[in-house]
Amino acid sequence: MPFSLLRLSPALVRAAHELGFITPTPIQAQAIPVVLRGADLLGSAQTGSGKTAAFALPLLQRLGQGPQHTPRRVRALVLVPTRELAAQVGEVIRSLAQHLPQPPKVAVVFGGVSINPQMMGLRGGADIVVATPGRLLDLIEHNALRLAGVEMLVLDEADRLLDLGFAEELNRVLWLLPPRRQNLFFSATFPPAVQALAQGMLREPVRIEVAAVPANEPAIAQRAIRVDDKRRTELLRHLIKESGWERVLVFVATRYAAEHVAWKLYKNGVFATPFHGDLSQGARKQVLQEFKDGQWDVVVTTDLASRGLDIAQLPVVVNYDLPRSAVDYVHRIGRTGRAGESGLAVTFVTAQAEAHFRLIEKRQNLSLPREQVPGFEPQEEPPEGAPGAGGVKGKRPSKKDKLRAKDLSLRA
Ligand code: AMP
């Protein structure tokens, strides 16, 4: 079914085609008619499913149907967890809007950079604002924008917003919105806190669920390789060389590890560079562009930086360190196999990490055979009676989780 059958305006269909979107993905085919008729939406969709265009296209069409206002007022608000995602969503909306007779003004605002240019950018108002919650509230406090005229609210990656400790900011934003509005709620997972948020926000929502790996999308092949802790970098180099991997995103647990692993690879002839929250916004942008341009073979990153990275043709993701939670595992492997591409996710499982990975598998209904690579057979035994090696993050955040969330929210 082509996009034109979804009752989208020719200007939007043309812009979608120019982005290479010829056939709607399953979430787009289901969500677009629902949003066009003004209903609330509860979308359960993984990253990479095409959900940005699923809300952006009908949102643009609906805003185009309303009266134009001068000065502009914010009519649609899109809340996202990270600056990378904010920038990316803003870009997609602008591209999709480019052929509209009166393209809306789209403002993208996020923390971690100076507030002044964003305040200048909001002069004269904006029709659509894409924002991380903390910076949005700062701008409201500075009287740079008002939310009283919002007709449509999109919460993108709601689970991640809560994971990053944005619950309080979200509630404050919700208070500032007019009660009569259309709500579009997207999340990859639905732990109780996300369900409660959805319930409090949505009015008789239409539920749309897209299977974790939609049948008509190529599956992400998942592999688990047992290896000793100290030999992981060497194994990574071996796999890159033997398998001819060209663009690899490697996940580690800390910023220090990102620097360390990237440097060890680089020293040994692999073009690798770190990507994490300590880098300036400019440096992050540059690394991303260079990775997209094929200048780096490997980018070594942390979970914080991983969200919203949309790199077409990212064939391989490696979990060098395990993710803390099953949710993070899903998001990490979702970096590969983006719409229309096939992908491979490889997880290194050390003896110490075995119990933790088993918990992640259990949460994901997964059971991956443990592979061994010749020459890298593990020598280490799992520690005696090892429990969950810290455990997968449960429903109640620990003190450490809260501190981490606070740290992340300051950065977002
Ligand atoms: P998203 O889940 O919105 O981040 O989209 C994931 C990827 O799929 C992005 O690289 C989009 O450019 C791409 N994409 C979205 N919709 C389509 C479509 N209908 N056809 C082909 N690619 C798409």
Side-chain angles (χ1 to χ4, degrees), residues 252-260 274 276-278 302 304 407-408 411:
V252 292
T254 62
R255 290 170 216 152
Y256 171 77
E259 295 278 344
H260 185 66
H276 54 68
D278 272 356
T302 56
L304 169 65
D407 177 46
L408 291 174
R411 287 168 184 286

Side-chain angles (χ1 to χ4, degrees), residues 137 147 168-179 181:
L137 288 167
L147 300 181
E168 199 188 313
E169 284 89 344
L170 269 181
N171 281 328
R172 282 172 55 201
V173 172
L174 292 179
W175 262 102
L176 296 171
L177 294 170
R181 55 171 203 261

